[in-house]
Amino acid sequence: MSTEIYYMAERETPMSKEEKAKMDEIIHKYWEEYPHKDDFEGPGFFNNPDSAVIFEGVMRIPCSNVEELDEFFDYWLKWLSELTWLLPDAKWDAGVEDVPFIWEEDNGWRLMTDEEYYSRGQ
């Protein structure tokens, strides 16, 4: 069993051609610059034109040691943040399995702290 990052953006209006072009540019840039892309299948994307979901996907986490995980999350959360800033009027949902990422307008997506994680649902 693998662990995956999920991400989804919803809004009533579809992406414009300009937004789609910029999104494709961001996706391509991050994929081309990712230092471990030979060991990684990359992010997956889905789009249903008959739905309010304008962007969604999953990404399998390809590493298991702490140093690789830190690098992986740092890199791909920056990618997801750029996409989120591109579509600020969309409602975003993103996380790892059942643990949501935290969105900070000025800094982008981040992982929960231990304190945030353990205080969920209380």
Side-chain angles (χ1 to χ4, degrees):
M1 187 171 110
S2 63
T3 303
E4 297 175 329
I5 290 176
Y6 66 88
Y7 36 91
M8 179 178 68
E10 293 180 281
R11 74 175 184 198
E12 293 301 315
T13 57
M15 268 193 274
S16 68
K17 289 180 183 176
E18 294 81 13
E19 288 172 329
K20 177 72 171 114
K22 182 64 178 168
M23 179 172 277
D24 290 345
E25 180 184 314
I26 293 167
I27 290 167
H28 179 75
K29 176 184 90 167
Y30 273 81
W31 179 245
E32 288 303 313
E33 294 176 2
Y34 188 58
H36 306 292
K37 67 182 173 189
D38 293 338
D39 303 324
F40 177 48
E41 48 189 81
F45 312 106
F46 312 98
N47 189 341
N48 180 352
D50 299 325
S51 162
V53 176
I54 58 172
F55 181 74
E56 71 178 320
V58 295
M59 184 184 318
R60 188 179 63 77
I61 299 173
C63 43
S64 58
N65 73 52
V66 173
E67 292 80 22
E68 288 177 355
L69 281 171
D70 284 346
E71 179 183 357
F72 175 85
F73 279 112
D74 183 55
Y75 191 83
W76 291 106
L77 287 175
K78 286 178 186 172
W79 166 80
L80 189 58
S81 296
E82 281 200 44
L83 296 177
T84 305
W85 285 315
L86 175 66
L87 303 169
D89 57 339
K91 178 182 175 242
W92 284 84
D93 183 27
V96 176
E97 302 297 331
D98 65 341
V99 180
F101 295 141
I102 304 296
W103 175 251
E104 296 176 337
E105 189 62 42
D106 293 335
N107 300 315
W109 292 103
R110 67 172 175 81
L111 297 170
M112 282 187 174
T113 63
D114 287 344
E115 183 178 316
E116 290 168 327
Y117 178 79
Y118 291 113
S119 67
R120 292 185 317 155
Q122 294 182 359

